[in-house]
Amino acid sequence: MITHLFIDWHNTLSTDTFWFPWKNITHSHHKLLEPLQRILFVEKKELLNDWMRGLHSSESVCEILGEILTVDTSIIFEGLKESCKLITFAHSDIPKLLVDIRKKGIQTISATDNMDTFMRFTIHALEAEKLFDAFLISSEIGHLKSDRDTHGSRPFFSSYHHQLKNSAFIDDCAHKFIDLIENGLVVHQVRSTAETVDILKHYAS
């Protein structure tokens, strides 16, 4: 019997990205979107990963990006904060499904490689505290889901080590967690948020 359901965030429950309001070509900062995302997600992957490990704050990352682009840091940070507060679930059914799953006695845990923005801005704006029993966030834990310790274990999941054999995990990169499958974790690899909804319906029914 499944007692805990771990659910990834980006591309699993939501597809919104940082600064997504700037995608609008009429936005005054539209031209900043492409270079910001290219630098952060392609050219500065180490900075990105360290941010998700909690080694940088949003302010310090925006300062670095501002220096590279010679753009006022406050513009980048305020745009980041705004976008994080506007992030939504990819499907309107998701909140109710999470509530229904909890009513069945299954604990829902948001398990995400994410930045301090998630805890500071997104969770509260979405009132996600009402939908999840707990949050596992890499920037809070200090480790990404893929990180291993000297014993080959994953520190990200250490607080739930004994529950994994009675748990399921929904993630768009779940194929990377073969070792957890071998330890009894049920893993659902999703290729779209629509597939996420179908899996949530299964656990809610």
Side-chain angles (χ1 to χ4, degrees), residues 9 13-16 20 83-91 122 126:
W9 184 259
L13 290 175
S14 177
T15 57
D16 291 331
F20 73 88
S83 65
C84 291
K85 289 183 175 182
L86 292 174
I87 285 174
T88 60
F89 290 107
H91 196 286
T122 305
L126 273 177

Side-chain angles (χ1 to χ4, degrees), residues 61-179:
V61 169
C62 289
E63 185 174 346
I64 293 169
L65 294 172
E67 290 175 356
I68 294 172
L69 294 171
T70 61
V71 173
D72 187 339
T73 299
S74 65
I75 292 174
I76 299 173
F77 177 72
E78 290 302 322
L80 173 69
K81 181 168 69 171
E82 176 196 24
S83 65
C84 291
K85 289 183 175 182
L86 292 174
I87 285 174
T88 60
F89 290 107
H91 196 286
S92 59
D93 286 349
I94 289 175
K96 185 179 185 305
L97 288 169
L98 292 172
V99 170
D100 289 345
I101 290 169
R102 294 179 73 192
K103 286 179 179 177
K104 292 191 65 178
I106 300 173
Q107 289 193 27
T108 57
I109 299 105
S110 173
T112 173
D113 286 338
N114 223 310
M115 298 74 171
D116 59 338
T117 55
F118 193 62
M119 181 65 78
R120 291 170 64 184
F121 309 126
T122 305
I123 289 175
H124 301 307
L126 273 177
E127 296 186 326
E129 303 99 325
K130 299 177 182 178
L131 305 175
F132 294 96
D133 293 282
F135 295 89
L136 289 182
I137 306 170
S138 61
S139 60
E140 298 283 312
I141 299 169
H143 293 280
L144 302 178
K145 282 181 280 191
S146 59
D147 288 348
R148 303 289 193 105
D149 61 20
T150 55
H151 302 290
S153 299
R154 297 179 186 264
F156 182 93
F157 292 99
S158 62
S159 60
Y160 286 90
H161 175 73
H162 296 294
Q163 287 82 19
L164 291 182
K165 63 182 179 181
N166 297 313
S167 301
F169 179 30
I170 306 173
D171 196 298
D172 66 313
C173 295
H175 62 282
K176 297 180 180 180
F177 303 103
I178 302 301
D179 57 304

Side-chain angles (χ1 to χ4, degrees), residues 2-88:
I2 297 299
T3 59
H4 296 71
L5 180 61
F6 297 88
I7 313 168
D8 178 47
W9 184 259
H10 185 59
N11 287 334
T12 302
L13 290 175
S14 177
T15 57
D16 291 331
T17 57
F18 292 156
W19 303 287
F20 73 88
W22 295 3
K23 290 180 181 179
N24 189 327
I25 60 173
T26 65
H27 197 288
S28 57
H29 302 310
H30 172 69
K31 290 184 179 180
L32 285 175
L33 180 61
E34 188 280 327
L36 273 174
Q37 294 189 332
R38 171 173 42 80
I39 291 168
L40 185 60
F41 296 106
V42 179
E43 298 176 3
K44 296 288 185 180
K45 289 294 289 289
E46 184 176 349
L47 173 65
L48 177 72
N49 288 334
D50 284 347
W51 189 11
M52 289 192 291
R53 290 189 178 99
L55 299 178
H56 292 286
S57 67
S58 296
E59 287 85 351
S60 65
V61 169
C62 289
E63 185 174 346
I64 293 169
L65 294 172
E67 290 175 356
I68 294 172
L69 294 171
T70 61
V71 173
D72 187 339
T73 299
S74 65
I75 292 174
I76 299 173
F77 177 72
E78 290 302 322
L80 173 69
K81 181 168 69 171
E82 176 196 24
S83 65
C84 291
K85 289 183 175 182
L86 292 174
I87 285 174
T88 60

Side-chain angles (χ1 to χ4, degrees), residues 190-202:
V190 293
R191 291 161 294 185
S192 68
T193 54
E195 290 186 1
T196 300
V197 170
D198 287 341
I199 296 167
L200 292 177
K201 287 179 178 178
H202 165 74

